[in-house]
Amino acid sequence: MGKGFHISKTVGIVGIVLGAGALATIIALSVVYSQEKSKNENEVKPTDAATSAPTTAPSNEPWDQWRLPQTLSPQTYNVTLWPRLKPDPTGLYIFTGMSSVVFRCLEKTNLILIHSNKLNMTKQPTLTAFGSKPAPTIESIVMHTKTQYMAIHLKDELAAGESYELYTEFVGELADDLGGFYRSEYNETGVKKVVATTQMQPTDARKAFPCFDEPAMKAVFYITLYHDPATVALSNGVVIEPYFVNITADGTLVTRTTFAPTEVMSTYLLAFIVSDFGFIEQNIDKLQIRIFARQEAINAGQGEYALNVTGPILKFFEKYYNVPYPLPKSDQIALPDFNAGAMENWGLITYRETALLYDEEISSNGNKERIVTIIAHELAHQWFGNLVTLRWWNDLWLNEGFASYVEYLGADEAEPDWNVKDLIVLNDVHRVFAIDALASSHPLSFKEEEIQRPEQINEVFDTISYSKGASVLRMLSDFLTETVFTQGLQTYLDNFKFSNTVYTDLWHHLQLAVNGTGTSLPKSVQEIMDRWILQMGFPVVTINTTTGQITQEHFLLDPESKPDRSSEFNYEWFVPISWTKKEVAQPLYWLLKKTDQSNDMKISVDEWVLANIYVTGYYRVNYDNDNWQRLLNVLQNSTTHNNQHIPVINRAQLIDDAFNLAKAGIIETTLALRTTLFLNSETEYMPWEAALDNLDYFYLMFDRTEVYGPMQVSLKVKYLFDYFTRLTNWEDVPKGHTDQYNQINALRVACSTGNEECKTLITGWFKQWMANPNVNPIKASLRSTVYCSAIAAGGEEEWNFAWEMFENATIASEKDKLRAAMACATEPWLLNRYLKYTLDPEKIRKQDATSTIISIASNVVGQPLAWDFVRANWEYIFKQYGGGSFSFSNLINGVTKRFSTQFELQQLIQFRDDNTHIGFGSGTLAIEQSIERTNANIKWVEKNQEAVLEWFKKPS
Ligand SMILES: *[C@@H]1O[C@H](CO)[C@@H](O)[C@H](O)[C@H]1NC(C)=O
Ligand SMILES: *[C@@H]1O[C@H](CO)[C@@H](O)[C@H](O)[C@H]1NC(C)=O
Ligand SMILES: *[C@@H]1O[C@H](CO)[C@@H](O)[C@H](O)[C@H]1NC(C)=O
Ligand SMILES: *[C@@H]1O[C@H](CO)[C@@H](O)[C@H](O)[C@H]1NC(C)=O
Ligand SMILES: [Zn+2]
């Protein structure tokens, strides 16, 4: 494994030639192979373990480098692919293909290095020259499986400035591995159906056809697909003449669908799909918008919501970017098996079903929010990412952070009544603070050479890139003002369209906008942003309102930890501080050094200071005790239910900052707990959610200790539950978007803290459903909570009923709710059985395996079972579920987040050491972060258990 795999003369590979009218032809490959090269290759140590650092001195041979040499530059590809949706006689699903690539030689060389992974050549590749001189003869071809290259050694050199065409024919497996060209399966009207689809990002286009698979190697793609006449073929471009032509190939009648050449684009944005899906469409101006899904889903109207929001969001981005949508069509398709949430392939966006399909009756508002934000995210990429592409994966944060920020702007356009923009604070800022406060975090931007191997590239797709990226860009847009920000953005896009950039190119254009508008900044855009981009973490800003002193310090969750890397900026930032004195907004204050003095922030006793208004800044805030006390008073003594003195986002911030400052030992834990007292009169979602998120941590740490009992008693959250009982008596769903979330929280917390009324209500609903499975009486928005509570309260009968409903559900979001709820069971044997199901793709789809295990682990009964399970099956999980898959870091974080004892720490370290030879793939960093988090938890529990117990016995 991991060694170079050579095509030898003696190996005849059975392949099927794809070609108009061609019948099955078997071609014995005659690829010469060089003894010397093979020796060389054997010296490369196997490194199938993703974590293993290069242990031998890396060879300098180009095929042992992870990056392509700059000698060749692709211009156009002509790719024809034929996926077989039925297995061959040996049970294998395959696809065949032929591809030619025209490239220019930039520097003379006798080596063509092109990516190719898991493809078997079925014909001797051929090289032709466009110039007057004939192309050099091919001397040998060596496949390098580790670095995923096909190396074509030539007898003579290619000449700089000349163009050549390389032609290949190949066969690959259409596996169910969710990467490259793969298959997805589902049942419809009792018939098993197969879809051929793709996921190229980041490094799997090379698994579909040989290509120069780096984002800066942009080219034009001519795509043709062969498929069964009863199916439809889709790709990035529109179908062009000769449209759909029936031909005979390999003895079968197939349709050949030809697509218009793409724009100049990166390989990772390609998509090819063959299915018998249905679709709905709408034309806006000249733009064709279509939503594809399983026929049943389309017929049930599940694509309507996506179709309705796409037009307005596209129009919004056209205005925002001041660039028309670059393509003639926009297809979006929901796939039964899909690893990520969605993928922004240019003109053909792929989604998980739950991220695109919505059913008015069955789906919740939460499902709807997920759909509209993901659609906005992917549409945002059609310009930012697709039209203008970052040169290399080290800058992924800019691509993903940007889309993760503007997805809220796009969603807000489609759902203006939701205040969805506020939610970025909970969903991204607060969430990523928790990870970025670890000493084992990492800076947003990497050096190009730090990100080389596919699993390193996969690892960059993490919360830091997405959520911290979004948070700092939001901060930037805020202090520049949206007008200046969009102006810089617009010239950036216009200047770099169809090409590649590095992140400083954006800074440059923002600076031009700043200069052009005369905006005043204390430093240049680049100087300010370098501090947020090039060093990990973020500051806690402490404002002393007695002295007027303002200081900043690197915020670390474990105060005794030392950052894993040093920073050229000494962990100091240029911090834009928005603030109010009482309720009066003050001019933006820039903290440009470690400690500063502001006489404005020195206040009298009847005043108070609040900083980081709307949490537009990526930092936490601490105050002197007196100001904290005054803020608590303002919160508690508000005469209205709505605490109007302090904006709702900042009410959430005060709670989240206080709890985290307490975790880091900066303030007392009891002060943090006191920030929750005002919730007695709080009816807004965000402060409640912030409190519940933080109290969840208390549950994680203490639900196996004596603290649990008193905590349960004190958290009965009678207030919210009564509020909703009064408001609607649970018959209705509140109108407001976040009020619905509040209702869910009320029910969830009331039930989980043992509120009897709540339990009766929930088990009643569930029994009613069990009595008549065809009529589900439970409100869509409450289902997740009701299912979970009812299964927790029930036994085998409830569980089995849920399983049956899971298998019969016709919309993926309903399946997801049941799947998560089945993890709430409290009988260990049910959970153990469920864990086994997660590794059986007939029961739980591969795409859902890790999230199911994580759900089980978040249940106090399930946690030790899930941990044992992951440890026992690590090798299998790692191999089956792909060394490069995105979800390993989630899996590791998920099963270990409760760890807070020495014993658990030892187990975790043991697990890491025992599995070094297998590796952790994209979860490598997550292991280190888990160890650090466990250490911090151990210390925190030791230090705080007593005080927390006392407080919950007598809250004050
Ligand atoms: C692409 O290849 C096919 C088959 O080899 C050929 O028929 C077609 O003309 C080619 N298209 C272009 C644009 O070169
Ligand atoms: C490619 O060749 C390898 C080695 O001979 C074989 O195991 C594999 O099944 C082949 N793949 C396909 C899709 O034919
Ligand atoms: C699909 O249906 C077949 C036959 O009806 C059944 O054997 C199989 O388990 C089903 N597969 C899934 C994934 O539901
Ligand atoms: C191709 O063949 C199918 C099945 O025989 C037929 O339904 C379809 O109309 C044909 N399409 C074209 C373009 O000839
Ligand atoms: Zn994205």
Side-chain angles (χ1 to χ4, degrees), residues 717-732:
V717 212
K718 198 84 179 101
Y719 179 73
L720 255 195
F721 187 76
D722 288 349
Y723 173 78
F724 282 104
T725 308
R726 263 201 325 278
L727 201 67
T728 66
N729 201 22
W730 303 101
E731 292 299 318
D732 301 315

Side-chain angles (χ1 to χ4, degrees), residues 17-69:
V17 163
L18 241 179
L23 289 171
T25 322
I26 294 169
I27 293 185
L29 250 194
S30 60
V31 177
V32 189
Y33 103 109
S34 136
Q35 198 56 45
E36 259 181 23
K37 298 269 162 26
S38 100
K39 259 200 306 211
N40 222 329
E41 186 63 15
N42 284 330
E43 280 163 18
V44 178
K45 264 211 106 184
T47 51
D48 53 339
T51 46
S52 48
T55 40
T56 49
S59 114
N60 283 329
E61 300 293 0
W63 48 85
D64 289 330
Q65 314 304 311
W66 295 96
R67 295 293 301 273
L68 287 166

Side-chain angles (χ1 to χ4, degrees), residues 5 92 94 120 171-173:
F5 156 67
L92 200 65
I94 60 155
N120 294 341
V171 55
E173 187 184 349

